Amino acid sequence: MSHAHATTVHGAPPLKMGLPIPNSKLGMWLFLGTEIMFFTAFIGTYIVLRLGSPDWPHDPNVTHIRIWAGGLNTFVLLASSYLVVVAHESMVARNIPRAKLYLLGTFTLACLFLGIKSYEYYGKWDHDILPGHIAEDDNQAMTKTLGDFEKTLNRQYARYVPDSEAARLADKRAAIDAKMKDASPEVQKQVEALKALDKEYLALRTQHQELKLQLVPLSEKLEELKTNPEFAGLLGGLEAHHPIKYGNIFASTYFLMTGFHAIHVIVGMIMFAIPLWVISLDHRWTDYVENCGLYWHFVDLVWIFLFPLVYII
Amino acid sequence: MTDGHATDIHHDSHAPHHVWYFGVFGALCVLTALSVMFDVLDIRGKHTIGGINLLLAVLVLSVATAKALFVMTYFMHLKFEGRWKFLLLSPTVILALGLPLALLPDVGVHYYTTDVPQNSAHVTEHSHTPELETTSESPH
């Protein structure tokens, strides 16, 4: 091959084999080809499931999806894409300090993206919008509400009977009287209020087991208990759950798509951290920066479609 | 591969493209704002498919496609690449569309009722009730 080059007529283009791009860039494009199929499988499945579910949850008060967070994250990713493309331009122009500065900007924006995403995930976690946790009919909503009621009581009983002594609520009930023998009158009064609340819970649970409880009366009863001064502070933030039809498949697809996207963002951050870490960065890293940029633009492309599909439609 | 060959490839790959990247970024921001505006102004038509408002879906997905084309054309430099881009990307795009199209008839546009299995009588009858099972009382 070197002989062929040596004998090339002056001015004529040298003989090339394969595509006129660096092997690393070809490799990145082939990888991105697989990535297209990877994400299209998730996004396509989401669209198909969505089409097949007419009552798919889309009220922001139910799904806790905030368009401002999605819009802001879109802007952050677009800005990071811009910075990485100008970082590559700087590498081509052999202006390494400027390229490093742009790469640092990209890395920082990627951190910001994950920060906003974490805030969104926290909202889902806080409202228990998680796969397999969502009640999809009235019966499931009542079961879940009473489950929370039970946990709240268990937590309140634990103030007097620690979990280390009795983990289960039934065991705490059995042990609490013995604990109260030497307690002050004030504490005994608090425990009496807790027992009265427990009695209310047991009555609701019995009604539920006998299939005599309805969701609306349960919600009203909870509100009544919360406004009762005797139980003030005992119920904390206990709220009645309401059914969200298709809520679990919504949560599964939401976390699948955005979760894998976030993993790709983290991988991109690692890719950008490497040239930032290298002290002797020079023009030989130009291909590397270009390939990182291609990967990062793809991550941006995925989000460009996730934003309208998840946040708007 | 000789050094000369490598240099030629690098020269082609790194040739300046004279793109006003900030202008492209600005256009992408404007298009994003447009998508948000469609949602805030609640632009919805009469027609729906599977609960999805058709007008809103067409509008925001058209904007998303325009944004994607901007990113691919200028940021990913596909405008300046050879025809290999079609050869390389066409099979993956065709295969990528295969899965949703295959699932569409059964899951997306089925003719039967849409009662989800979780809501069936069987599951409801056997659903978990607090304290019916001993494990339900374990603290979390």
Side-chain angles (χ1 to χ4, degrees):
Chain A
M1 201 162 172
S2 3
H3 286 292
H5 272 256
T7 54
T8 303
V9 180
H10 290 294
L15 182 65
K16 287 179 184 173
M17 291 180 73
L19 297 173
I21 52 173
N23 290 340
S24 60
K25 188 170 168 180
L26 176 62
M28 177 54 79
W29 270 110
L30 286 169
F31 171 67
L32 292 183
T34 66
E35 288 281 89
I36 290 170
M37 291 187 281
F38 182 80
F39 273 104
T40 315
F42 295 156
I43 295 173
T45 307
Y46 169 79
I47 293 170
V48 167
L49 285 169
R50 180 87 203 263
L51 282 170
S53 318
D55 297 325
W56 188 271
H58 62 267
D59 181 355
N61 295 320
V62 172
T63 59
H64 296 279
I65 279 185
R66 306 290 174 218
I67 189 170
W68 66 263
L72 185 60
N73 256 351
T74 307
F75 172 77
V76 168
L77 270 193
L78 290 175
S80 68
S81 261
Y82 166 70
L83 287 182
V84 78
V85 86
V86 290
H88 175 241
E89 288 288 296
S90 300
M91 291 294 287
V92 172
R94 304 207 173 180
N95 189 340
I96 306 301
R98 182 177 287 183
K100 262 196 161 178
L101 196 66
Y102 287 139
L103 286 174
L104 184 64
T106 308
F107 185 87
T108 309
L109 288 174
C111 291
L112 181 60
F113 177 90
L114 286 183
I116 296 168
K117 198 77 233 159
S118 305
Y119 169 76
E120 285 191 83
Y121 276 9
Y122 173 74
K124 305 279 179 303
W125 181 274
D126 198 35
H127 292 93
D128 212 19
I129 306 289
L130 301 170
H133 284 225
I134 300 167
E136 299 207 17
D137 62 17
D138 282 6
N139 187 54
Q140 292 174 3
M142 287 188 290
T143 303
K144 191 174 178 188
T145 304
L146 289 175
D148 285 355
F149 201 159
E150 182 187 315
K151 283 177 194 165
T152 305
L153 285 172
N154 202 340
R155 216 167 31 243
Q156 292 296 343
Y157 269 101
R159 291 166 59 194
Y160 311 103
V161 183
D163 286 334
S164 55
E165 292 178 22
R168 301 188 327 150
L169 180 57
D171 296 337
K172 284 190 176 78
R173 282 188 192 116
I176 197 158
D177 284 337
K179 284 270 178 186
M180 288 302 109
K181 276 179 185 168
D182 304 323
S184 66
E186 193 184 339
V187 171
Q188 285 186 354
K189 193 181 168 191
Q190 289 170 357
V191 170
E192 286 308 314
L194 181 57
K195 282 180 175 178
L197 185 64
D198 194 7
K199 205 172 275 181
E200 297 281 0
Y201 160 72
L202 288 169
L204 289 170
R205 197 197 68 187
T206 306
Q207 282 183 56
H208 183 51
Q209 285 172 342
E210 291 170 355
L211 303 176
K212 291 176 183 169
L213 191 62
Q214 299 290 320
L215 186 57
V216 175
L218 173 62
S219 305
E220 289 170 354
K221 183 69 184 173
L222 277 186
E223 289 307 311
E224 182 194 315
L225 292 173
K226 282 162 79 175
T227 51
N228 187 335
E230 189 186 359
F231 307 133
L234 287 177
L235 285 167
L238 184 66
E239 297 282 348
H241 291 280
H242 295 282
I244 307 171
K245 201 172 180 186
Y246 299 113
N248 291 299
I249 194 74
F250 156 78
S252 296
T253 49
Y254 170 82
F255 282 106
L256 188 72
M257 292 189 297
T258 59
F260 268 107
H261 182 264
I263 290 170
H264 278 72
V265 171
I266 293 167
V267 171
M269 287 169 69
I270 295 167
M271 289 164 77
F272 290 126
I274 294 168
L276 283 172
W277 187 262
V278 173
I279 297 167
S280 57
L281 190 72
D282 58 26
H283 69 278
R284 286 173 297 181
W285 285 74
T286 307
D287 279 351
Y288 178 90
V289 172
E290 185 180 22
N291 293 329
C292 288
L294 286 172
Y295 172 84
W296 194 249
H297 297 315
F298 175 79
V299 172
D300 192 12
L301 276 180
V302 172
W303 187 259
I304 282 173
F305 284 103
L306 286 186
F307 174 57
L309 286 169
V310 175
Y311 290 81
I312 298 179
I313 294 176
Chain B
M1 186 186 283
T2 64
D3 286 345
H5 191 173
T7 308
D8 288 333
I9 286 174
H10 282 235
H11 178 74
D12 290 341
S13 176
H14 296 145
H17 301 307
H18 307 296
V19 175
W20 186 36
Y21 290 114
F22 194 76
V24 176
F25 170 60
L28 289 167
C29 290
V30 168
L31 288 170
T32 303
L34 198 63
S35 294
V36 175
M37 201 180 75
F38 289 143
D39 184 65
V40 173
L41 296 178
D42 203 23
I43 295 174
R44 289 170 192 276
K46 291 175 184 172
H47 301 287
T48 56
I49 295 179
I52 297 174
N53 190 281
L54 199 57
L55 179 65
L56 184 67
V58 168
L59 285 173
V60 293
L61 289 177
S62 301
V63 169
T65 307
K67 283 163 71 180
L69 286 173
F70 265 119
V71 170
M72 288 192 294
T73 307
Y74 297 107
F75 283 0
M76 297 177 95
H77 297 150
L78 278 181
K79 181 181 174 151
F80 312 104
E81 302 291 2
R83 289 183 181 175
W84 60 264
K85 62 193 170 195
F86 300 112
L87 187 72
L88 197 143
L89 292 174
S90 299
T92 60
V93 171
I94 292 165
L95 287 169
L97 292 173
L99 177 76
L101 288 176
L103 288 173
L104 195 64
D106 185 44
V107 183
V109 289
H110 47 69
Y111 60 90
Y112 41 85
T113 57
T114 55
D115 189 20
V116 289
Q118 297 97 307
N119 289 348
S120 68
H122 173 80
V123 176
T124 305
E125 282 169 16
H126 295 87
S127 62
H128 167 73
T129 303
E131 297 199 27
L132 285 178
E133 297 166 16
T134 50
T135 51
S136 68
E137 285 193 344
S138 58
H140 296 288

Coordinates of all heavy atoms in Angstrom, one line a residue, chain A residues 69-112:
Chain A
A69 N -39.9 21.4 33.7 CA -38.7 20.6 34.0 C -38.2 20.0 32.7 O -37.0 20.0 32.4 CB -38.9 19.6 35.0
G70 N -39.1 19.4 31.9 CA -38.8 18.8 30.6 C -38.3 19.8 29.6 O -37.3 19.6 28.9
G71 N -38.9 21.0 29.6 CA -38.5 22.1 28.7 C -37.1 22.6 29.0 O -36.3 22.8 28.2
L72 N -36.9 22.8 30.3 CA -35.6 23.3 30.8 C -34.5 22.3 30.5 O -33.4 22.6 30.0 CB -35.7 23.5 32.3 CG -34.4 24.2 33.0 CD1 -34.2 25.5 32.4 CD2 -34.6 24.3 34.5
N73 N -34.8 21.0 30.7 CA -33.8 20.0 30.4 C -33.5 19.9 28.9 O -32.4 19.6 28.4 CB -34.3 18.6 30.9 CG -33.5 18.2 32.2 OD1 -32.5 18.9 32.5 ND2 -33.9 17.2 32.8
T74 N -34.6 20.1 28.1 CA -34.3 20.2 26.6 C -33.4 21.3 26.3 O -32.4 21.1 25.5 CB -35.7 20.4 25.9 OG1 -36.6 19.4 26.3 CG2 -35.5 20.3 24.4
F75 N -33.6 22.5 26.8 CA -32.7 23.6 26.6 C -31.3 23.3 27.0 O -30.3 23.5 26.3 CB -33.2 24.8 27.3 CG -32.3 26.0 27.3 CD1 -32.2 26.8 26.1 CD2 -31.5 26.3 28.4 CE1 -31.3 27.8 26.1 CE2 -30.6 27.4 28.4 CZ -30.5 28.1 27.2
V76 N -31.2 22.6 28.2 CA -29.8 22.3 28.7 C -29.1 21.3 27.8 O -27.9 21.5 27.5 CB -30.0 21.6 30.2 CG1 -28.7 21.0 30.6 CG2 -30.4 22.7 31.2
L77 N -29.8 20.3 27.3 CA -29.2 19.4 26.4 C -28.8 20.0 25.0 O -27.7 19.8 24.5 CB -30.1 18.2 26.1 CG -29.9 17.0 27.1 CD1 -30.6 15.8 26.5 CD2 -28.5 16.7 27.4
L78 N -29.7 20.9 24.5 CA -29.4 21.6 23.3 C -28.2 22.5 23.4 O -27.3 22.5 22.6 CB -30.6 22.4 22.8 CG -31.8 21.7 22.3 CD1 -33.0 22.7 22.1 CD2 -31.5 20.9 21.1
A79 N -28.1 23.2 24.6 CA -26.9 24.0 24.8 C -25.7 23.2 24.9 O -24.6 23.6 24.4 CB -27.1 24.8 26.1
S80 N -25.8 22.0 25.6 CA -24.6 21.2 25.7 C -24.2 20.6 24.3 O -23.0 20.5 24.0 CB -24.8 20.0 26.7 OG -25.8 19.1 26.1
S81 N -25.1 20.4 23.4 CA -24.8 19.9 22.1 C -24.1 21.0 21.3 O -23.2 20.7 20.6 CB -26.1 19.5 21.4 OG -26.3 18.2 21.4
Y82 N -24.6 22.2 21.5 CA -23.9 23.4 20.8 C -22.4 23.5 21.3 O -21.5 23.6 20.5 CB -24.7 24.7 21.1 CG -23.9 25.9 20.8 CD1 -23.7 26.2 19.4 CD2 -23.4 26.7 21.8 CE1 -22.9 27.4 19.1 CE2 -22.7 27.9 21.4 CZ -22.4 28.2 20.1 OH -21.7 29.3 19.8
L83 N -22.3 23.3 22.6 CA -20.9 23.5 23.2 C -20.0 22.4 22.7 O -18.8 22.7 22.4 CB -21.0 23.5 24.7 CG -21.5 24.7 25.4 CD1 -21.5 24.6 26.9 CD2 -20.8 26.0 24.9
V84 N -20.5 21.2 22.5 CA -19.6 20.1 22.1 C -19.2 20.3 20.6 O -18.1 19.9 20.2 CB -20.2 18.7 22.4 CG1 -21.3 18.3 21.4 CG2 -19.1 17.7 22.5
V85 N -20.1 20.8 19.8 CA -19.8 21.0 18.4 C -18.8 22.1 18.3 O -17.9 22.1 17.4 CB -21.1 21.2 17.6 CG1 -21.6 22.7 17.5 CG2 -20.9 20.7 16.2
V86 N -18.9 23.2 19.1 CA -17.8 24.2 19.0 C -16.5 23.8 19.7 O -15.5 24.3 19.3 CB -18.3 25.6 19.6 CG1 -19.4 26.2 18.7 CG2 -18.8 25.5 21.0
A87 N -16.6 22.8 20.6 CA -15.4 22.3 21.2 C -14.7 21.5 20.1 O -13.4 21.6 19.9 CB -15.8 21.3 22.3
H88 N -15.4 20.8 19.2 CA -14.8 20.1 18.1 C -14.2 21.1 17.1 O -13.0 20.9 16.6 CB -15.8 19.2 17.4 CG -15.2 18.5 16.2 ND1 -15.8 18.7 15.0 CD2 -14.2 17.7 16.0 CE1 -15.1 18.0 14.1 NE2 -14.1 17.4 14.7
E89 N -14.9 22.1 16.9 CA -14.4 23.2 15.9 C -13.1 23.7 16.5 O -12.1 24.0 15.7 CB -15.4 24.3 15.8 CG -16.6 23.9 15.0 CD -16.3 23.8 13.5 OE1 -15.9 24.8 12.9 OE2 -16.4 22.6 12.9
S90 N -13.0 24.0 17.8 CA -11.8 24.5 18.4 C -10.6 23.5 18.3 O -9.5 23.9 18.1 CB -12.1 24.8 19.9 OG -13.1 25.8 20.0
M91 N -11.0 22.2 18.4 CA -9.9 21.2 18.3 C -9.4 21.2 16.9 O -8.2 21.1 16.6 CB -10.5 19.8 18.6 CG -10.9 19.5 20.0 SD -9.5 19.5 21.2 CE -8.7 18.0 20.8
V92 N -10.3 21.3 15.9 CA -9.8 21.4 14.5 C -9.0 22.6 14.3 O -7.9 22.5 13.6 CB -11.1 21.5 13.5 CG1 -10.7 21.7 12.1 CG2 -11.9 20.2 13.6
A93 N -9.3 23.7 14.9 CA -8.5 24.9 14.8 C -7.3 24.9 15.7 O -6.5 25.9 15.8 CB -9.4 26.2 15.1
R94 N -7.1 23.8 16.4 CA -6.0 23.6 17.3 C -5.9 24.6 18.5 O -4.9 24.9 19.0 CB -4.7 23.5 16.6 CG -4.7 22.5 15.5 CD -3.4 21.9 15.1 NE -3.5 20.8 14.2 CZ -2.5 20.2 13.7 NH1 -1.3 20.5 14.0 NH2 -2.7 19.2 12.8
N95 N -7.1 25.1 18.8 CA -7.2 25.9 20.0 C -7.6 25.1 21.2 O -8.8 25.0 21.5 CB -8.2 27.1 19.7 CG -8.2 28.1 20.8 OD1 -7.7 27.9 21.9 ND2 -8.7 29.3 20.5
I96 N -6.6 24.4 21.8 CA -6.9 23.4 22.8 C -7.5 24.0 24.1 O -8.5 23.5 24.6 CB -5.7 22.6 23.1 CG1 -5.1 22.0 21.8 CG2 -6.0 21.5 24.1 CD1 -6.0 21.1 21.0
P97 N -7.0 25.1 24.6 CA -7.6 25.7 25.8 C -9.1 26.0 25.7 O -9.9 25.7 26.5 CB -6.8 26.9 26.1 CG -5.5 26.7 25.4 CD -5.8 25.9 24.2
R98 N -9.4 26.6 24.5 CA -10.8 26.9 24.3 C -11.7 25.6 24.2 O -12.8 25.5 24.7 CB -11.0 27.7 23.0 CG -12.4 28.1 22.7 CD -12.6 29.0 21.5 NE -12.1 30.4 21.8 CZ -12.1 31.3 20.9 NH1 -12.7 31.1 19.7 NH2 -11.7 32.5 21.2
A99 N -11.1 24.6 23.5 CA -11.9 23.3 23.4 C -12.1 22.7 24.7 O -13.2 22.2 25.0 CB -11.0 22.4 22.5
K100 N -11.1 22.8 25.6 CA -11.3 22.3 27.0 C -12.4 23.0 27.7 O -13.2 22.5 28.5 CB -10.0 22.4 27.8 CG -9.2 21.1 27.8 CD -8.1 21.1 28.8 CE -7.6 19.7 29.2 NZ -6.6 19.7 30.1
L101 N -12.4 24.3 27.5 CA -13.4 25.2 28.2 C -14.8 24.8 27.7 O -15.7 24.6 28.6 CB -13.1 26.6 27.8 CG -13.8 27.7 28.7 CD1 -13.3 27.6 30.1 CD2 -13.6 29.1 28.2
Y102 N -15.0 24.6 26.4 CA -16.3 24.1 25.9 C -16.7 22.8 26.4 O -17.8 22.5 26.7 CB -16.3 24.2 24.4 CG -16.3 25.5 23.8 CD1 -15.5 25.8 22.7 CD2 -17.1 26.6 24.3 CE1 -15.5 27.1 22.1 CE2 -17.1 27.8 23.7 CZ -16.3 28.1 22.6 OH -16.3 29.4 22.1
L103 N -15.7 21.9 26.5 CA -15.9 20.5 27.0 C -16.4 20.6 28.5 O -17.2 19.8 28.9 CB -14.7 19.6 26.8 CG -14.4 19.2 25.4 CD1 -13.1 18.4 25.4 CD2 -15.5 18.3 24.9
L104 N -15.7 21.5 29.2 CA -16.1 21.7 30.6 C -17.5 22.2 30.7 O -18.3 21.7 31.6 CB -15.1 22.6 31.3 CG -15.3 22.9 32.8 CD1 -15.1 21.6 33.6 CD2 -14.4 24.0 33.3
G105 N -17.9 23.1 29.8 CA -19.3 23.6 29.8 C -20.2 22.4 29.5 O -21.3 22.3 30.1
T106 N -19.9 21.6 28.5 CA -20.8 20.4 28.2 C -20.9 19.5 29.4 O -22.1 19.1 29.7 CB -20.1 19.6 27.1 OG1 -19.8 20.5 26.0 CG2 -21.1 18.5 26.6
F107 N -19.8 19.2 30.1 CA -19.8 18.4 31.3 C -20.7 19.0 32.4 O -21.6 18.3 33.0 CB -18.4 18.2 31.8 CG -18.3 17.2 32.9 CD1 -18.2 15.8 32.7 CD2 -18.4 17.6 34.2 CE1 -18.1 14.9 33.7 CE2 -18.3 16.8 35.3 CZ -18.1 15.4 35.0
T108 N -20.6 20.3 32.6 CA -21.4 21.0 33.6 C -22.9 20.9 33.3 O -23.7 20.7 34.1 CB -20.9 22.5 33.7 OG1 -19.5 22.5 33.9 CG2 -21.6 23.1 34.9
L109 N -23.2 21.1 32.0 CA -24.6 21.1 31.6 C -25.2 19.7 31.7 O -26.4 19.5 32.1 CB -24.8 21.6 30.2 CG -24.6 23.1 30.0 CD1 -24.6 23.5 28.5 CD2 -25.7 23.9 30.7
A110 N -24.3 18.7 31.5 CA -24.8 17.3 31.7 C -25.1 17.0 33.2 O -26.1 16.4 33.5 CB -23.7 16.3 31.2
C111 N -24.3 17.6 34.1 CA -24.6 17.5 35.5 C -25.9 18.2 35.8 O -26.7 17.6 36.6 CB -23.5 18.2 36.3 SG -21.9 17.3 36.3
L112 N -26.1 19.3 35.2 CA -27.4 20.1 35.5 C -28.6 19.3 35.0 O -29.6 19.2 35.7 CB -27.3 21.4 34.8 CG -28.5 22.4 34.9 CD1 -28.7 22.7 36.4 CD2 -28.3 23.7 34.1

